[in-house]
Amino acid sequence: DHINLVLRSALQMGLSLRRVGRLRGLLVRIFELALIYGLVWKNHARDADRYTEKLPPPVWYTDDQIRNIMQAITEVQYSHIYAAMMMTGIVADRSTALTWDCVDFENNTLLINKQLQKTKKVGGEYILTGTKNSRSRVITVAPSVMLVFQRQFFLQRRMERDAGPLWNNEWNLVFTNEFGRHLCHFTVYKAYKKIVAEIGL
């Protein structure tokens, strides 16, 4: 009861549901240590009410909106990765981590087995790592999707030629900048938000 009182008080003081949930989690860990050292006989925090933030229901694009977006991204900087994401549903951190060995043009499939993550330390670098729970999946896509990847392949060869010795695609990534380096999915997403805002979405 005392723990629930603390959590309810925190909520009344203006803390968000997410923060109150984190507070509960912290109390659970504290009581777990106290249990190990014999200071309490039970982890009472585990019996406390759970506070989870209810996410709003997803809002899906209509067919007309999708057509408008596809038209708007035709000539922009990240047009190919946007088209691939729109047509496959692959999220940004996995799209930016896609490598050419995972693109099967013969069978029209994509192997999703990596994500691009930034290390948590200050000034952290981006690394390729496995997906959550190390689960991989193969998705079969339409020929029109593979056409996007073919266009990206030829675009990348042209960028490699133009960059010359500055080119460095050490991870064999599908989607890169003009020097072969990885894309930051936050930058890609931010640019996308700007595009859709300009067409009223």
Side-chain angles (χ1 to χ4, degrees):
D1 286 345
H2 288 105
I3 295 175
N4 277 324
L5 180 61
V6 169
L7 296 176
R8 284 195 294 270
S9 297
L11 194 62
Q12 292 169 357
M13 290 169 58
L15 265 68
S16 66
L17 284 171
R18 179 180 296 179
R19 288 186 178 274
V20 174
R22 288 178 179 174
L23 175 59
R24 180 189 179 278
L26 176 61
L27 290 172
V28 168
R29 292 192 292 274
I30 291 173
F31 270 82
E32 199 65 34
L33 285 173
L35 187 63
I36 291 172
Y37 286 103
L39 301 176
V40 295
W41 62 274
K42 179 182 178 181
N43 189 339
H44 297 281
R46 290 190 179 278
D47 297 328
D49 295 336
R50 293 181 178 272
Y51 291 84
T52 55
E53 190 171 18
K54 293 183 179 179
L55 298 176
V59 178
W60 306 106
Y61 289 136
T62 65
D63 289 345
D64 287 340
Q65 289 171 331
I66 292 174
R67 279 191 287 270
N68 290 339
I69 293 172
M70 295 299 289
Q71 185 175 358
I73 65 175
T74 302
E75 302 295 334
V76 299
Q77 182 180 5
Y78 305 118
S79 60
H80 291 161
I81 191 171
Y82 290 149
M85 291 170 66
M86 289 288 293
M87 299 166 81
T88 64
I90 304 173
V91 295
D93 60 349
R94 287 163 176 73
S95 298
T96 52
L98 193 62
T99 52
W100 282 115
D101 59 299
C102 294
V103 180
D104 187 341
F105 287 103
E106 184 175 347
N107 296 303
N108 287 3
T109 61
L110 303 173
L111 173 62
I112 310 303
N113 62 355
K114 295 180 289 294
Q115 59 185 343
L116 189 64
Q117 282 190 338
K118 188 175 183 180
T119 55
K120 293 183 178 180
K121 63 181 181 180
V122 177
E125 298 179 348
Y126 280 88
I127 59 171
L128 279 182
T129 183
T131 56
K132 291 181 179 178
N133 300 323
S134 298
R135 293 178 181 173
S136 61
R137 60 191 175 106
V138 175
I139 60 174
T140 303
V141 299
S144 56
V145 178
M146 299 312 294
L147 182 59
V148 172
F149 284 94
Q150 288 177 3
R151 290 171 179 165
Q152 175 62 19
F153 178 83
F154 291 117
L155 171 64
Q156 199 175 72
R157 297 289 76 77
R158 188 169 71 244
M159 292 193 299
E160 182 179 5
R161 185 184 64 245
D162 294 343
L166 297 177
W167 180 262
N168 181 20
N169 186 4
E170 61 177 333
W171 291 335
N172 195 29
L173 295 171
V174 173
F175 301 107
T176 65
N177 66 13
E178 62 271 28
F179 299 109
R181 303 297 294 170
H182 68 81
L183 300 177
C184 171
H185 52 265
F186 176 77
T187 302
V188 173
Y189 179 62
K190 185 177 179 181
Y192 171 79
K193 287 181 67 176
K194 182 179 179 181
I195 292 168
V196 296
E198 289 175 350
I199 61 174
L201 294 176

